[in-house]
Amino acid sequence: MKWSNIKELLMHILFFLTACVSIFAVVLICVFLFANGIPAIGKIGVFKFLLGTKWKPGNDIYGILPMILGSLYVTAGAIIIGVPIGLLTAVFLAKFCPKGLYKILKPATELMAGVPSVVYGFFGLVVLVPLVQNIFGVAGNTMLTASVLLLPTIIGVSESAIRAVPDSYYEGSLALGASHERSVFFATLPAARSGILAGVVLGIGRAIGETMAVVMVAGNKPRMPQGLLDGVRTM
């Protein structure tokens, strides 16, 4: 067997072992959580735990439905606000942005994607919370503030997917008489659908996983969500 084939086989084994370790780590985390959580849930009652509307550990009341709904609402708000902004920003960078401006915006968007959540939380606490408070006349720690803060990070993946589409799609659309804008939105974007969807999924994953940002600006109030201008606590 040639040395190149041996190296390729070794790398295959290494990657396979790395994947197995990752899966094993996730399994261990799940086992740990269930092993420690199931006895307590059994004493409380599954339905009381999942469907209870009050969270008062001091009174032995453990209902997590408000936190489940708070997480879903904040994530949905972040998606509704962030996906259109992220997708349109990716289209602009890939097809409309001048080269001089691109050299500034591209590093800026990549830098934003890597900013820790606690920094976003501090920004929301000192900027967005007072802004919402002044505009709506309510406490600024609301579900709306958290939704605005958690813009999904889909720009980079979506732009890469758009740029990966062969130029023949765009040029063929132009040859049929379509304008530049129609060619981009009706020929290039549909062809990049799978990559854009992957970016949206990654953005949703980050929106769900943001902890410090939401805790700092959403009010951290374990109660049933009443509206966009009320505080909530997420999972």
Side-chain angles (χ1 to χ4, degrees), residues 13-213:
I13 295 174
L14 177 62
F15 291 143
F16 176 75
L17 291 176
T18 304
C20 290
V21 170
S22 301
I23 296 173
F24 184 65
V26 174
V27 171
L28 283 180
I29 293 172
C30 294
V31 170
F32 175 81
L33 291 176
F34 281 106
N36 289 274
I38 288 178
I41 295 175
K43 293 181 180 179
I44 300 169
V46 176
F47 292 104
K48 288 184 178 180
F49 181 70
L50 295 177
L51 302 179
T53 59
K54 294 183 179 180
W55 176 264
K56 295 181 179 179
N59 298 330
D60 291 332
I61 300 175
Y62 304 94
I64 65 170
L65 184 60
M67 288 174 276
I68 294 175
L69 293 179
S71 299
L72 293 176
Y73 290 169
V74 170
T75 302
I79 293 171
I80 293 172
I81 296 172
V83 169
I85 294 175
L87 180 56
L88 292 176
T89 302
V91 171
F92 174 75
L93 290 175
K95 294 296 183 181
F96 296 93
C97 185
K99 291 184 178 180
L101 184 60
Y102 181 84
K103 294 179 180 179
I104 300 174
L105 292 181
K106 180 61 176 178
T109 56
E110 292 177 347
L111 181 63
M112 289 177 61
V115 173
S117 61
V118 65
V119 177
Y120 281 118
F122 181 74
F123 170 80
L125 194 63
V126 300
V127 177
L128 294 182
V129 169
L131 182 64
V132 172
Q133 186 174 1
N134 293 331
I135 293 176
F136 297 101
V138 297
N141 301 93
T142 64
M143 187 165 27
L144 175 63
T145 312
S147 298
V148 172
L149 182 67
L150 297 179
L151 296 180
T153 54
I154 67 171
I155 298 174
V157 178
S158 298
E159 184 195 354
S160 299
I162 294 171
R163 291 187 179 276
V165 176
D167 292 336
S168 57
Y169 286 70
Y170 172 76
E171 294 169 354
S173 179
L174 290 178
L176 292 174
S179 63
H180 172 59
E181 291 78 12
R182 289 186 63 86
S183 298
V184 171
F185 284 98
F186 292 97
T188 304
L189 279 188
R193 181 172 56 249
S194 60
I196 293 173
L197 181 60
V200 172
V201 171
L202 290 174
I204 293 173
R206 174 157 187 182
I208 294 174
E210 294 285 7
T211 302
M212 289 303 301

